[in-house]
Amino acid sequence: MYLRFLAFFMLFCASFQSYAQGFSMNKLPLSDWDLGNWKQVESVDNPFKKKASFVTGNKFLFSNTAGKITSKLTTADAKVRFAFMLGNNSEAIFYIQGKHAIVLSNLRPSGTILLKDGGIKLPNQNAGRTAGLWQTLELTFSETSFGNAITLEKVVLNDVLIHQGYILSSEGKNEGPIVFENKSGSIAVKDLEYLKYNNEKPLKLSGLSYELYETFDWDKQFAKKKETPNDTGKAVELTKDYGVGFNRFLLVFKGDLEVEKDGSYSLIADCAGKSALTIDGKEVLPMADESYRKPRIAYLDLKKGKHSIEMKYIKVWWKAELGLFAAGPEIRPYSLHGETSLPTPQAVGEIDITPKNDVEMVRSFVMFDGQKRTHSISIGSPKGSHYTYDLDQAALLYAWHGEFADVTEMFHERGEPQLLEAKGVKTKFSGKPSVAVLADANAPMPDSLDAYKTLIFKSYSLDNEGFPTYKFLLNGTEILQKITPNIDGISVTTSSSNGANLYCKLAEGKSISMIEKGRYLVDNQYILIDAKAKPIIRNSKAGQEIIMPLSSAVSYSVSW
Amino acid sequence: MKKIIVLFLILGNLGVFAQNRPLVEEDFYRIVTLPVPEGVKLEVGGLAVMPDGRLGVSTRRGDVYLVSNPYMKNGTPPTYKRFASGLHESLGLAYIKGNLWATQRGEVTILKDNNGDEIADEYEAFQKFPLSGNYHEYSYGPVVLPDNDMIFTLNLGWQGKGVSLVKWRGWMLKVSPDGKMTPWATGLRSPAGFGALRNGDIFYTENQGDWVGSGRMTHLEKGDFAGNPMGLRWTSEEGSPLSVKPSDVPDTGEPLYEVAKRFPSIKVPAVWFPHTLMGISTADVIEDTFGGKFGPFEGQLFVGDQGHSKIMRVYLEKIAGKYQGICFPFREGFQSGILRMRWGLDASMFVGMTSRGWSSTGKEEFGLQRLEWTGKTPFEMKTVKSMSDGFLIEFTQPVNKETAKALESYKINSFTYKYHHNYGSPTINAKTLKIKGIQVAEDGMSVRLAIDSLRLGYIHELRLEGLKNTDDRPLLHTFGYYTLNNINTATAPLDLSKYAVVEKKVETMSHEGHNMSGMSKGANVVSAKRINEMPADWGGKVDQTLSVGTKPGLKYDVTKFQVKAGTKIRLIFNNNDDMLHNLVIVKPKTVAKVGEAAFKMDLDGEAKAYVPDLDEVLFHTGLMQPESQETIYFVAPSTPGDYTFVCTYPGHYTLMQGIIKVVK
């Protein structure tokens, strides 16, 4: 019963659309642009660098004067994804179909849509990153069924959904190039990829027949009750309805999958129960454990012509729901099953926590690198910066701007995952202990410490604003760590009154570079340290790290 | 003037009415609801009564509220102040030496308010519990013992069965005020309710589940193993007071008491709460220490039930040095699922509730209520004590001696459960017992019964339907379940030469050899309203097939069908839940009547699949075991209307319903 419930829940975690995204996208080469006054460059300096400049080359696009760049590619119904980086006080506009304008800016929220009438549509939240950091924007848009408009199906900025199902009125042909216009400051653009969707349905089923078997229940692994089918016949369509009259059954459909042209395709099985899919005698989706509406996807390269297909479906305790979709890189999933075979599943409304006037704290499980951190606390600040911290390891896990927390998976029904999800634009940390006792400054920092013997969490005290200072005993030495969210990011101060050979880890990443005195770029986040301090930057197992001896206090801040 | 006369007339009538109407629980124990401010999700996990008149409440959402004026003595509503927040599903709260102590999943936290603004500003970790990240790893406590040590319990995780994935899951832990932890006892599955008697003896309640045939209450002494083997995984760890290994535990399906004879490491429960006959998910347990201020049950225990939103009463006695006793119904009708009960300062009982994720009879998602004694004494079995040849039943009021002497006033059954890895158990080896002798005390305050074939380890159902008090009123609750682990051989047997009863042959014969495990399959229920084969004159064709399964939380998976009047219907009911269910189709707007009638069938009900013999019942299935299915055939009623289909298994009918809409 509990497992069944979990499966219900999983539905909301694995949205169907995301399964259609596994195809690699088409890259738009630099040669496919009308450059205007933009430049092709090899690299650009971080804007915080004194006398920031660039090196011409052929890696990506860059502009530091007002002007447009236009793609030779035109799109109508498409997905577009790219990375961009803004300079200080910069703003650019990104156009789809040459006319629908979306702001890329650090002067106002990136993702703001500029409407034709001069109005604006703000994003759900400001999910932009700070100057000098690479950001990603992904848009999916399509023509509306009612004409004279396009639908912005989804706009995702830095992995945050900022628009959904937004309709933009439009005149004339809904097709046009991709355009970037630099309005002020500087902008770099790279890795533009796209998929142009079409309405073709090159895969279809034909010559279907079905066999219906009554089956045993779970205790006998839903095995057939007898080897001869209870019913067989020609199937007009792929549908659960051939099982009517039995509470446990196996339906086996056999027939042809007709393919109009060679290509990469996917077949997506979306069922309540168990299913398996075989193409040309090869099982591409094996019979998995029973689940409620967790779509499974098989990627296939198929030649033009007829291919044999066999789909097995076993109804278990849920109502029969049987769906099979086809999709291609540039073909949205469309159903191969009968209209009534797959009802829309019931979705759950989101449960959020929003700090209004007070700081919000939430202890929960938090997923980090595929593992649950079980003794975590997340702090939400009315100032708009938030973080998650592992109380077992004195380790920052995430910090983010924008909205605070989605706690649906904690408080809907039993809350089986017990996971808190950050809602805003996030930066990730190493998740490793921030303090350790080292023999000397060359000894490596530990990846983890024993939370019951070595690093013992003692308490947190709240200041007047409600921000906690954490207290630990590290090998018996008291360590205090205060983390304060502010408008720009978070500040961290670690202190200890005594204790020898104490070291703090400030950051770890694949690579670390000093932009200017006191400002370090750690992968895609900035670490800011007092310009007079002498941090040690050294190689570590994961790449590079910044550490400092902790004699009385070590302070730094993070922005992203 | 006229108005006043009318008023007098009405009052007069009310007076007469009040004397004649049957007395109900509410006449003796009153439920007072504490209003909760809009927006506050008071899913109660812990309650702590504070000496300054406030009540601390911790919630599953992680907040701790201070409730001022919770007794509402001046008629004004209480006020709520959020004292602490962000705790990870806090299911325990206690007020210890000036501070609130809250237990969250992975930590026991002392909440300190250092600046006096009634908001905690220091969260001090007193004790940390390892977690695997499984949602079912709940942590409960603290309960403070008379010596100031504290006890905590740790729920098993759930992965299709109970599992102990990290240390001390499935255990009770004892922690001294300076933080020294001692593993105390294991064998626990879902130990949400526990408490200590005044003398320091510790009891915990267990929920039906794997290895647990039915809800029960066990006295936990150091090193005890209460039955679920998962926690035994940690017995080789430092500090473990026992060394039994999970693989040592027999999994034979025999009654737990029988297994314990061969395998004495198992601690047998002091009291069983028969599943659905008493409750379905036991919760907190507290002792009445108020010397009569809460009514006539001083020294007895009250045990909550989450799923049935009710409180049961337990009388314990010690025979051969071991606790055992009887449970009775006490008070039902609470607003949500009861998790916590704590005594208020005024001898009333605070009851904290939540039903999120686990449905309850009380329909609210959460709630906080107070139970107070009205000052009137209910006519109840006050105690039932083991005697060498039967039981001594003591009453709260003198009995009508005629009814007390009559054999027909009593029915005694006994039964037990299987001990195995499966979830729950059917009742097994049920037997109706013969009453040999009845002695009514001179003062009418007790009755001594001599009974044939008492069975050790069995639950003995005492049903006193016909008994009246001297006001000719029946017992408020007519039955109880005594768990007979030991017989009090120190008592003298009843003198049957004086008190033997005249046997009524027909009565006893018909009950001889009843076997509950056979009956529970439901296949034995023969009824014209239950046709499992397609009638021959249908010519092998049905007009419509209806398929119904179940969903967690006492629900059918389909709740609406439409059929044409007079058509031939095949209905397949698949009980894919982990509980027993049936499916009964009743006439429009009669579901409450049928459901109530089924509930009153009690122990006999199982034999009849809990289908009452009423005209309102049109068609029905048998009582279905988990993971079983049945097909019934019937002709849809000729009168259009909304016909309810309902599970009449006790406790289910208010929730588990659907409609068959019959149309022309």
Side-chain angles (χ1 to χ4, degrees):
Chain A
M1 167 157 132
Y2 302 80
L3 285 183
R4 279 170 240 162
F5 181 84
L6 182 64
F8 266 108
F9 201 89
M10 291 306 290
L11 163 71
F12 310 113
C13 314
S15 98
F16 176 75
Q17 276 293 327
S18 63
Y19 280 82
Q21 293 175 353
F23 295 104
S24 58
M25 295 173 70
N26 307 310
K27 292 184 171 31
L28 189 68
L30 294 188
S31 56
D32 279 13
W33 292 92
D34 288 327
L35 278 176
N37 63 356
W38 283 52
K39 300 163 188 75
Q40 292 187 6
V41 296
E42 175 71 24
S43 64
V44 292
D45 281 337
N46 187 285
F48 288 101
K49 203 161 188 162
K50 277 180 193 142
K51 294 182 195 158
S53 67
F54 60 91
V55 179
T56 53
N58 57 5
K59 288 243 173 86
F60 53 96
L61 304 165
F62 178 67
S63 164
N64 54 6
T65 45
K68 281 187 180 178
I69 183 171
T70 306
S71 73
K72 291 174 186 165
L73 170 85
T74 61
T75 61
D77 179 1
K79 177 154 87 176
V80 175
R81 182 162 66 200
F82 60 90
F84 66 99
M85 181 170 84
L86 296 166
N88 287 314
N89 305 318
S90 297
E91 178 161 303
I93 296 172
F94 165 72
Y95 299 90
I96 51 175
Q97 297 180 349
K99 52 190 169 187
H100 301 292
I102 293 168
V103 169
L104 310 174
S105 174
N106 47 29
L107 303 171
R108 53 176 162 164
S110 271
T112 300
I113 300 170
L114 302 180
L115 303 174
K116 272 205 306 254
D117 63 4
I120 58 166
K121 166 69 173 76
L122 286 168
N124 292 345
Q125 57 173 307
N126 187 351
R129 291 192 192 276
T130 194
L133 300 181
W134 284 105
Q135 316 192 48
T136 58
L137 187 72
E138 182 180 299
L139 301 91
T140 312
F141 49 93
S142 59
E143 198 146 358
T144 56
S145 55
F146 44 86
N148 288 334
I150 67 159
T151 302
L152 274 179
E153 290 178 10
K154 233 169 131 181
V155 182
V156 178
L157 176 62
N158 297 319
D159 300 323
V160 178
L161 180 66
I162 56 167
H163 297 289
Q164 203 176 188
Y166 191 71
I167 292 167
L168 287 165
S169 69
S170 153
E171 280 146 35
K173 202 175 178 200
N174 283 328
E175 190 167 3
I178 291 161
V179 178
F180 290 94
E181 181 179 13
N182 183 5
K183 299 291 268 190
S184 66
S186 63
I187 178 171
V189 173
K190 68 174 182 180
D191 299 338
L192 192 135
E193 300 177 315
Y194 67 95
L195 292 172
K196 286 172 75 165
Y197 294 114
N198 60 55
N199 294 323
E200 290 171 17
K201 293 184 176 178
L203 267 53
K204 67 175 190 199
L205 298 176
S206 66
L208 273 191
S209 66
Y210 73 93
E211 292 167 8
L212 169 68
Y213 300 87
E214 189 178 7
T215 58
F216 289 109
D217 214 312
W218 175 80
D219 51 349
K220 289 179 182 163
Q221 288 82 48
F222 306 105
K224 292 177 198 169
K225 281 197 170 165
K226 51 184 186 170
E227 278 309 307
T228 50
N230 297 55
D231 192 13
T232 61
K234 271 180 69 125
V236 182
E237 57 184 11
L238 186 74
T239 173
K240 63 168 172 74
D241 292 342
Y242 290 106
V244 163
F246 293 94
N247 218 323
R248 293 283 183 278
F249 62 80
L250 160 70
L251 271 175
V252 182
F253 291 93
K254 286 179 186 163
D256 293 321
L257 179 68
E258 292 186 21
V259 179
E260 265 174 32
K261 55 182 174 189
D262 295 2
S264 294
Y265 297 99
S266 65
L267 289 169
I268 304 155
D270 183 5
C271 299
K274 291 162 74 78
S275 63
L277 185 67
T278 301
I279 305 292
D280 294 331
K282 188 170 166 257
E283 198 168 47
V284 294
L285 291 176
M287 188 64 78
D289 286 346
E290 57 277 8
S291 66
Y292 181 79
R293 300 293 293 272
K294 271 161 87 178
R296 293 192 297 150
I297 187 161
Y299 292 97
L300 305 164
D301 284 319
L302 294 172
K303 294 275 179 223
K304 179 180 169 166
K306 279 189 178 178
H307 299 261
S308 74
I309 182 168
E310 181 187 285
M311 184 165 188
K312 289 181 186 157
Y313 168 67
I314 298 175
K315 178 192 178 294
V316 299
W317 32 75
W318 298 288
K319 270 197 297 177
E321 296 182 8
L322 161 62
L324 180 68
F325 294 84
E330 301 191 309
I331 299 161
R332 289 188 161 84
Y334 64 92
S335 62
L336 298 175
H337 54 262
E339 181 61 36
T340 57
S341 188
L342 191 70
T344 306
Q346 176 63 49
V348 169
E350 192 172 294
I351 306 172
D352 285 340
I353 296 181
T354 306
K356 294 194 180 81
N357 303 310
D358 299 327
V359 171
E360 292 288 343
M361 300 184 284
V362 187
R363 299 274 298 259
S364 72
F365 300 153
V366 169
M367 198 59 95
F368 188 82
D369 285 342
Q371 300 269 330
K372 275 183 184 172
R373 296 284 181 122
T374 56
H375 292 73
S376 300
I377 187 167
S378 299
I379 303 296
S381 153
K383 291 173 182 169
S385 298
H386 325 289
Y387 69 89
T388 294
Y389 184 76
D390 182 352
L391 295 168
D392 271 347
Q393 299 296 322
L396 276 163
L397 301 179
Y398 304 106
W400 65 101
H401 292 301
E403 292 177 19
F404 177 45
D406 177 349
V407 288
T408 315
E409 292 193 329
M410 296 183 65
F411 299 135
H412 173 68
E413 290 285 345
R414 294 179 186 178
E416 301 193 7
Q418 282 297 304
L419 289 171
L420 174 143
E421 285 283 342
K423 287 198 68 165
V425 58
K426 197 156 80 167
T427 192
K428 188 179 171 220
F429 301 96
S430 74
K432 296 173 186 172
S434 59
V435 286
V437 176
L438 302 184
D440 57 63
N442 297 316
M445 289 288 287
D447 286 345
S448 67
L449 291 171
D450 186 325
Y452 294 83
K453 291 186 180 128
T454 311
L455 181 67
I456 298 164
F457 165 65
K458 294 303 285 180
S459 70
Y460 45 86
S461 303
L462 308 182
D463 66 13
N464 289 338
E465 285 182 279
F467 292 120
T469 299
Y470 306 97
K471 186 161 90 182
F472 292 88
L473 286 183
L474 173 62
N475 295 342
T477 301
E478 190 175 288
I479 309 272
L480 294 175
Q481 197 157 60
K482 171 148 199 182
I483 304 173
T484 315
N486 49 50
I487 293 166
D488 299 322
I490 56 169
S491 328
V492 182
T493 299
T494 310
S495 57
S496 180
S497 48
N498 55 0
N501 298 330
L502 289 177
Y503 286 84
C504 274
K505 178 189 280 216
L506 282 64
E508 185 174 52
K510 287 191 195 73
S511 73
I512 296 176
S513 55
M514 190 176 85
I515 304 295
E516 57 180 343
K517 261 207 175 304
R519 178 180 290 265
Y520 298 83
L521 181 66
V522 180
D523 295 343
N524 207 33
Q525 72 186 200
Y526 292 118
I527 299 293
L528 306 167
I529 313 170
D530 180 358
K532 289 186 212 98
K534 294 192 178 64
I536 302 163
I537 298 173
R538 61 180 197 172
N539 292 333
S540 72
K541 249 191 285 176
Q544 288 188 295
E545 64 185 358
I546 307 176
I547 65 165
M548 279 176 81
L550 174 61
S551 50
S552 60
V554 168
S555 293
Y556 66 98
S557 43
V558 187
S559 83
W560 59 94
Chain B
M1 191 61 196
K2 248 184 192 169
K3 274 183 188 165
I4 291 172
I5 293 169
V6 172
L7 191 65
F8 270 115
L9 283 173
I10 291 170
L11 285 176
N13 280 336
L14 276 177
V16 173
F17 177 65
Q19 275 174 14
N20 289 339
R21 68 169 172 81
L23 295 175
V24 292
E25 288 174 345
E26 198 178 353
D27 291 310
F28 308 100
Y29 288 92
R30 185 171 15 201
I31 295 173
V32 181
T33 302
L34 278 76
V36 179
E38 182 90 23
V40 172
K41 296 265 185 194
L42 203 74
E43 299 172 339
V44 180
L47 292 176
V49 173
M50 294 163 63
D52 64 6
R54 289 182 295 177
L55 177 70
V57 181
S58 73
T59 74
R60 293 174 70 194
R61 300 277 171 142
D63 295 316
V64 175
Y65 289 94
L66 295 178
V67 184
S68 296
N69 191 30
Y71 306 93
M72 300 193 288
K73 290 295 184 209
N74 51 6
T76 55
T79 53
Y80 290 70
K81 169 119 187 165
R82 189 166 85 157
F83 176 69
S85 67
L87 304 176
H88 198 179
E89 198 144 18
S90 175
L91 299 179
L93 190 71
Y95 185 78
I96 300 172
K97 288 186 188 137
N99 286 312
L100 285 168
W101 294 44
T103 292
Q104 31 184 342
R105 285 178 179 273
E107 187 184 295
V108 182
T109 311
I110 307 172
L111 304 167
K112 293 183 176 169
D113 173 17
N114 293 319
N115 63 4
D117 64 354
E118 296 191 335
I119 296 174
D121 43 38
E122 188 181 347
Y123 291 62
E124 186 184 314
F126 172 71
Q127 185 80 33
K128 187 144 91 176
F129 301 130
L131 294 167
S132 78
N134 187 291
Y135 83 98
H136 209 259
E137 287 168 344
Y138 298 106
S139 308
Y140 314 98
V143 163
V144 182
L145 301 176
D147 63 1
N148 291 326
D149 279 359
M150 286 161 274
I151 45 175
F152 300 89
T153 56
L154 304 183
N155 224 91
L156 291 177
W158 180 261
Q159 286 182 338
K161 60 171 191 172
V163 281
S164 184
L165 298 170
V166 288
K167 219 164 31 174
W168 311 122
R169 288 277 142 201
W171 285 71
M172 175 177 279
L173 308 175
K174 195 171 177 183
V175 185
S176 66
D178 61 1
K180 195 178 168 299
M181 191 273 280
T182 314
W184 183 255
T186 188
L188 283 55
R189 191 189 90 83
S190 197
F194 56 103
L197 307 186
R198 272 167 292 191
N199 65 11
D201 286 348
I202 299 164
F203 285 85
Y204 99 103
T205 67
E206 185 59 273
N207 273 251
Q208 188 218 34
D210 36 348
W211 298 93
V212 185
S214 182
R216 63 195 187 200
M217 188 173 106
T218 306
H219 174 213
L220 288 183
E221 295 168 281
K222 189 173 185 182
D224 275 345
F225 164 57
N228 184 301
M230 295 304 154
L232 295 174
R233 182 175 167 194
W234 310 108
T235 50
S236 39
E237 294 288 322
E238 193 189 332
S240 171
L242 67 166
S243 56
V244 179
K245 293 280 168 287
S247 54
D248 298 341
V249 179
D251 184 13
T252 59
E254 296 163 274
L256 186 142
Y257 183 88
E258 298 301 321
V259 177
K261 275 199 238 168
R262 295 199 310 274
F263 187 71
S265 299
I266 299 180
K267 182 70 170 268
V268 298
V271 176
W272 288 93
F273 303 100
H275 197 64
T276 72
L277 301 170
M278 286 300 288
I280 54 172
S281 43
T282 50
D284 233 338
V285 47
I286 53 172
E287 182 187 13
D288 179 353
T289 57
F290 285 96
K293 285 189 193 154
F294 188 67
F297 306 115
E298 215 281 329
Q300 300 199 13
L301 305 180
F302 295 98
V303 175
D305 192 89
Q306 196 272 342
H308 276 185
S309 301
K310 70 179 174 197
I311 293 175
M312 303 172 285
R313 175 168 63 89
V314 169
Y315 169 74
L316 285 178
E317 59 176 344
K318 241 180 172 175
I319 309 289
K322 303 283 180 195
Y323 282 108
Q324 64 184 37
I326 185 164
C327 59
F328 305 99
F330 177 63
R331 182 65 163 102
E332 59 182 16
F334 290 89
Q335 67 189 131
S336 184
I338 297 177
L339 180 62
R340 285 286 156 252
M341 292 139 59
R342 286 291 181 270
W343 292 114
L345 300 171
D346 65 345
S348 67
M349 186 196 290
F350 286 108
V351 180
M353 290 161 277
T354 167
S355 65
R356 173 161 60 81
W358 286 271
S359 316
S360 60
T361 314
K363 294 284 186 293
E364 302 290 327
E365 209 185 331
F366 51 81
L368 179 59
Q369 293 181 311
R370 212 164 48 80
L371 184 66
E372 45 183 38
W373 183 40
T374 61
K376 290 201 174 82
T377 297
F379 177 40
E380 295 269 44
M381 287 182 260
K382 184 174 179 180
T383 70
V384 172
K385 292 173 175 165
S386 167
M387 294 285 134
S388 59
D389 56 351
F391 295 104
L392 173 70
I393 309 171
E394 295 175 314
F395 299 94
T396 56
Q397 291 170 347
V399 295
N400 170 324
K401 287 188 181 169
E402 284 312 303
T403 62
K405 281 176 186 161
L407 178 60
E408 308 82 69
S409 294
Y410 305 90
K411 257 164 86 183
I412 318 280
N413 296 296
S414 68
F415 59 93
T416 187
Y417 295 102
K418 291 180 172 198
Y419 176 59
H420 55 188
H421 71 275
N422 302 52
Y423 200 97
S425 162
T427 51
I428 58 167
N429 307 341
K431 195 169 171 182
T432 298
L433 305 186
K434 210 162 81 178
I435 298 170
K436 293 186 295 183
I438 302 172
Q439 180 192 8
V440 181
E442 201 54 45
D443 60 2
M445 293 300 285
S446 67
V447 167
R448 178 82 167 72
L449 297 180
I451 293 163
D452 235 3
S453 319
L454 293 172
R455 287 185 291 177
L456 281 175
Y458 277 70
I459 301 155
H460 289 71
E461 180 193 56
L462 282 73
R463 193 166 277 280
L464 279 58
E465 303 276 1
L467 201 90
K468 302 275 173 67
N469 65 6
T470 48
D471 291 338
D472 208 32
R473 288 191 180 277
L475 286 160
L476 184 61
H477 300 101
T478 55
F479 60 93
Y481 294 92
Y482 191 102
T483 300
L484 190 67
N485 293 326
N486 285 292
I487 291 175
N488 186 357
T489 50
T491 55
L494 195 62
D495 182 354
L496 289 178
S497 65
K498 278 163 106 175
Y499 300 112
V501 292
V502 186
E503 220 174 296
K504 291 193 177 174
K505 281 209 168 88
V506 188
E507 264 280 303
T508 45
M509 286 300 288
S510 70
H511 282 88
E512 215 61 62
H514 257 176
N515 186 315
M516 302 262 309
S517 63
M519 300 186 304
S520 65
K521 288 198 177 68
N524 297 342
V525 186
V526 181
S527 155
K529 297 171 179 177
R530 178 184 181 214
I531 307 295
N532 297 119
E533 296 294 330
M534 191 189 295
D537 59 354
W538 286 19
K541 270 201 69 148
V542 296
D543 296 319
Q544 195 176 346
T545 297
L546 313 178
S547 232
V548 195
T550 65
K551 283 203 291 198
L554 300 180
K555 288 182 188 115
Y556 290 114
D557 64 351
V558 187
T559 52
K560 200 146 196 186
F561 290 108
Q562 185 163 316
V563 303
K564 275 185 96 157
T567 52
K568 297 173 186 126
I569 306 295
R570 165 168 55 197
L571 185 145
I572 305 164
F573 174 49
N574 173 45
N575 179 18
N576 48 274
D577 203 359
D578 51 24
M579 304 178 192
L580 298 168
H581 295 299
N582 64 15
L583 186 150
V584 180
I585 300 169
V586 302
K587 289 182 180 169
K589 296 187 175 126
T590 61
V591 64
K593 180 179 176 186
V594 175
E596 286 294 329
F599 190 76
K600 292 196 175 119
M601 293 168 79
D602 296 310
L603 202 57
D604 286 344
E606 199 159 339
K608 294 172 183 158
Y610 290 104
V611 178
D613 186 15
L614 290 174
D615 289 343
E616 284 80 0
V617 173
L618 297 177
F619 317 105
H620 64 89
T621 68
L623 185 59
M624 308 297 297
Q625 291 284 337
E627 302 294 347
S628 67
Q629 64 167 287
E630 178 173 329
T631 303
I632 58 169
Y633 296 85
F634 59 89
V635 175
S638 52
T639 315
D642 288 351
Y643 292 75
T644 306
F645 61 94
V646 57
C647 173
T648 56
Y649 196 74
H652 294 188
Y653 88 88
T654 54
L655 295 166
M656 199 161 170
Q657 296 186 7
I659 294 287
I660 298 179
K661 193 178 183 65
V662 176
V663 296
K664 272 286 177 204

